[in-house]
Structures are given as structure tokens and as C-alpha cells.
Amino acid sequence: MHDHGLLLVNLGSPLSTEVKDVRSYLNQFLMDPHVIDLPWPVRRLLVSLILIKRPAESAEAYEQIWWPDGSPLVVISQRLCDAVRPLWRHGPVELAMRYAEPSIEKSLLALVKQGVSKVLIAPLYPQFADSTTTTAIQEAQRVIRKHHLTIELNTLPAFYAEPEYLNALVASTTPTLKEDFDHLLISFHGLPERHLTKREPNNTHCLKSADCCERATGAVLDTCYRAQCIQSAQRFARQAGLKPSQWSVSFQSRLGRAKWIEPYTESRLDELAQQGVKKLLVMSPAFVADCIETYEELGIRGREQFIAAGGEDLTLIPCLNDNADWAEALVRLCEKTLKPAPALA
């Protein structure tokens, strides 16, 4: 029997660019109460309205970035899994997607069939959010209950400030940062503000002041997505040798009319162009694999918007993807999770 199986989990993607597959994926994704945290009847009505036009629009966007062998997110994640597998000495390794295929249920059962007694689930999200990490963990727990599995489940915690992650991030971006550029925009995936405030432990931090996330510590930092994003950006910029004037943070991918965390990437693209930035670099370290939010939202629509606002060029820095440095770093992060905390003196 193996000691510890490893389950890598990413968000997911439609099975194809056909509208019916995109609709099915969006329905599963948006009906997750961790994504749209409204009562079921309200969520069902809202999602039904979204699904009137959104699937066709999203299908067109997916068509622009789809690879011959499938969704970039899934293909890249599988390549990462393949790179991790020979490095993980503790048992078998499988890949799962929270939505669509390969499902968490299918991949978790595959690990069990290979004789594991323990599984480390590794959500591939550097920063913690209920809509990414929590929902993946709860789905794994649901599968364990459903099939009466006798396995121990451990979880890789958020690694936004871990040196293994930051070192890999700096190494992957250094070639591009050596080129001539005016500004680096570090664009993280956005969240509705209410996702942050409901997690705020003592109602004294989140969104109470302009710099609250920059100063977050302790229990607040443990669960505040925006604070974790800012700390990732600060540590990365410092390690990459960037001056404060050379970079800024923004949040992308808004959906619906709810208030989302700011500043918005769309607004920053216009502002930077109007401030005279001509050569803009953009990276999105909330993703470890390139996907529709990077390739299409930033690399296509973002570039078009920036140039229309007066900029000359927008260069999208690739995510960590299946870089060898990242595969090795991920294994080290996971192995650290398996080690018990040192005893207090």
C-alpha cells in the first residue's frame, strides 16, 4: 500500500468550445454556492439568466485560445501532473478539475484503486479563497462520504508567500523583466467584496481603509484573499528587484453587478496608458496555469484595450505552467505539508 497519494486540483474548463458544453460547465461552476453565495432560489434564477447569452459569448472566447489537444488549462495542468509524478516519492499522482473533467470524484477513486491510505489534495491556487480552495476540499470530502472511503485527507495550504513558489515565479519571469518595459501590472483574479467581508474574523480589517490589506497580519492574513494577493505581489517585486514605481496591482474577471475588490484591471489598463505607459508587461500570479483569463481576457482583450487607450504594446508574461522549476517547487511544498510541525520547547 502506498503512503501518500497526491491529488492536484485546478478549476476546470468546458469539454469543448461547443455552446452546449460551455453552458454545462458554466452551470456547474456558477451554481456552486461558494462561487455565487446567494440562497439557492436566487442563485438558480440569476444563473438561468446568465446562461441565456453567456455560453455563446464564452464559447467564442474559448475558440480564440483553444489548443488542438484541448483546453489550455487542462492540457497544461496535465503536463504539470506528468512532470510532478516522477518527483513524488510517496505514492501515485492524479489530476482533477473542480468542474467538468477529470472530476475530483473520478481522480480520487483512481487513487484509492491504486492502494493509497492517505491523500494530499493540492489546490493549485497560491492564495486562499472559498470559491477555489474551500469548494475543492469540500467536494473531495463529499466523495469520501459518498463512497465510504477509509482514507485520510490532508490539504496543501495557501502558498502565496512560500519561498518555493516565489522563487519559481521570479525565475519564470526574469527573462521578460530583463527586456525594456515601462510598467508591470500584476493582475490577480477578482472576488466580490462580500467574499472577503464574510471571512473577516473580527470586523476590524477588510476594506475599512485603503491600505488595510497592505498591513494585514495573523488571522486576517490567513483568510483575506486580497491581503494575500498584495503580499504575493510585494514579495515578488522585492525579490525580482523592482522599484515601487515599476509595478502595481489590479484585479480582473468581474462578473455581474456586485461590488468587486479594486482596483479593476480594466481601469488600470486605461489609466496606465493615459499616464504615458507605452510598453506594459502583465502577469497574473493567481493562476499557475495559463487559461482563458490570461490568454483571452488579458492577452487579447486587454491588449486591444490598452492600445486603444494610447499604449503601444502589452506583453503577457506566461504563468508557471509546467516549468521544471515549478514542478520541483510544488513537490517541495507538498512534502513540507506532510512533515509534522516541530514540537514546542
Side-chain angles (χ1 to χ4, degrees):
M1 181 173 286
H2 298 292
D3 179 28
H4 236 119
L6 178 60
L7 183 63
L8 306 181
V9 180
N10 215 327
L11 191 74
S13 186
L15 298 180
S16 77
T17 61
E18 293 188 18
V19 174
K20 64 179 181 63
D21 286 336
V22 176
R23 178 179 290 108
S24 176
Y25 168 76
L26 290 176
N27 182 68
Q28 184 186 13
F29 172 55
L30 296 175
M31 282 304 295
D32 186 336
H34 291 295
V35 175
I36 297 182
D37 54 341
L38 297 173
W40 189 92
V42 179
R43 186 167 71 254
R44 181 68 270 173
L45 175 60
L46 177 60
V47 172
S48 296
L49 292 173
I50 292 173
L51 293 180
I52 294 174
K53 295 183 177 180
R54 186 75 179 222
E57 296 171 351
S58 294
E60 184 177 344
Y62 276 110
E63 286 177 354
Q64 296 184 72
I65 58 99
W66 207 257
W67 288 354
D69 44 355
S71 159
L73 173 66
V74 177
V75 172
I76 292 169
S77 297
Q78 186 59 62
R79 290 175 182 172
L80 175 64
C81 182
D82 293 341
V84 165
R85 192 169 279 125
L87 303 176
W88 184 252
R89 301 173 289 105
H90 312 280
V93 181
E94 295 289 341
L95 172 70
M97 297 288 150
R98 174 60 185 90
Y99 312 106
E101 298 293 337
S103 68
I104 290 176
E105 183 167 13
K106 182 183 297 183
S107 297
L108 192 55
L109 290 175
L111 285 174
V112 172
K113 288 181 180 179
Q114 294 174 75
V116 302
S117 58
K118 301 176 183 178
V119 172
L120 174 63
I121 181 171
L124 296 176
Y125 316 111
Q127 298 81 24
F128 169 85
D130 282 326
S131 56
T132 52
T133 304
T134 301
T135 186
I137 296 169
Q138 290 190 356
E139 173 62 9
Q141 293 170 336
R142 183 195 69 80
V143 172
I144 290 172
R145 292 192 302 269
K146 174 184 176 182
H147 295 276
H148 307 288
L149 303 178
T150 56
I151 59 173
E152 177 183 322
L153 189 68
N154 296 311
T155 305
L156 174 68
F159 48 88
Y160 64 95
E162 294 295 330
E164 293 86 353
Y165 162 68
L166 293 170
N167 290 342
L169 196 60
V170 171
S172 71
T173 57
T174 293
T176 309
L177 292 175
K178 287 182 178 179
E179 300 174 4
D180 182 36
F181 70 97
D182 297 326
H183 193 82
L184 169 66
L185 182 61
I186 305 177
S187 176
F188 293 89
H189 197 286
L191 284 179
E193 285 188 354
R194 67 175 181 271
H195 283 210
L196 274 64
T197 53
K198 72 180 182 181
R199 268 285 183 176
E200 209 284 311
N202 51 24
N203 200 34
T204 60
H205 160 69
C206 198
L207 309 172
K208 298 295 188 296
S209 64
D211 64 344
C212 61
C213 289
E214 285 83 347
R215 297 180 287 103
T217 58
V220 167
L221 188 56
D222 288 342
T223 58
C224 180
Y225 173 80
R226 187 174 186 272
Q228 291 183 2
C229 289
I230 290 174
Q231 185 151 137
S232 290
Q234 291 172 337
R235 291 179 179 235
F236 164 80
R238 183 164 55 248
Q239 192 167 330
L242 298 175
K243 300 176 182 177
S245 61
Q246 290 181 291
W247 63 278
S248 59
V249 167
S250 63
F251 297 89
Q252 64 183 88
S253 308
R254 283 181 293 159
L255 175 67
R257 298 180 180 180
K259 184 79 164 81
W260 285 51
I261 53 179
E262 299 183 84
Y264 300 142
T265 296
E266 292 172 318
S267 300
R268 286 296 293 149
L269 291 174
D270 287 339
E271 292 168 359
L272 290 167
Q274 293 162 7
Q275 292 167 8
V277 171
K278 297 301 181 182
K279 296 181 179 180
L280 179 65
L281 301 181
V282 180
M283 63 184 292
S284 193
F287 303 103
V288 298
D290 277 304
C291 51
I292 191 168
E293 286 88 353
T294 59
Y295 284 150
E296 193 274 336
E297 184 179 355
L298 295 175
I300 298 177
R301 283 189 286 132
R303 178 179 290 113
E304 292 173 351
Q305 179 188 342
F306 178 68
I307 292 175
E312 293 180 357
D313 185 49
L314 184 154
T315 298
L316 180 64
I317 300 178
C319 292
L320 290 167
N321 293 332
D322 59 338
N323 293 345
D325 287 348
W326 168 230
E328 294 171 2
L330 179 57
V331 169
R332 290 196 297 272
L333 286 168
C334 291
E335 288 182 333
K336 283 170 58 175
T337 304
L338 299 185
K339 296 178 181 178
L344 297 176

